[in-house]
């Protein structure tokens, strides 16, 4: 899965954090596992990937955070159908 994020403040103005990261929580052989990794800045975007290879089929929850936003800045669910 690929993550691409831009961060804005409450007024909707683009902000530039000094760091950003994502956390993905998923099952491996039925055991909950979380991985956190930094996102890389590219222009105003922050980009990262998650390798679903070890994940069980099913849902994986994710969140994106930064040094300047109320965290998590955004969260959601990925459905792993073919790791």
């Amino acid at each position: 899965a690929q993550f691409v994020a831009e961060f804005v403040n409450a007024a909707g103005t683009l902000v530039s954090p000094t760091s950003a990261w994502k956390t993905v929580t998923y099952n491996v052989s039925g055991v909950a596992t979380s991985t956190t990794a930094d996102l890389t800045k590219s222009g105003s975007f922050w980009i990262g990937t998650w390798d679903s290879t070890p994940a069980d089929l099913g849902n994986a929850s994710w969140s994106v955070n930064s040094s300047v936003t109320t965290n998590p800045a955004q969260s959601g669910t990925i459905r792993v159908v073919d790791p």
Side-chain angles (χ1 to χ4, degrees):
Q2 183 169 351
F3 294 84
V4 179
E6 276 189 312
F7 297 97
V8 296
N9 61 20
T13 304
L14 190 64
V15 295
S16 184
T18 56
S19 62
W21 61 96
K22 57 140 174 55
T23 300
V24 181
T25 302
Y26 53 98
N27 286 333
V28 175
S29 299
V31 177
T33 305
S34 289
T35 57
T36 299
D38 291 336
L39 299 175
T40 302
K41 189 169 183 176
S42 178
S44 64
F45 295 100
W46 290 84
I47 300 168
T49 59
W50 173 63
D51 180 4
S52 64
T53 302
D56 294 347
L57 299 180
N59 291 333
S61 60
W62 60 268
S63 63
V64 172
N65 306 272
S66 85
S67 59
V68 296
T69 53
T70 301
N71 289 315
Q74 190 168 13
S75 61
T77 302
I78 298 169
R79 180 136 181 92
V80 179
V81 295
D82 185 10

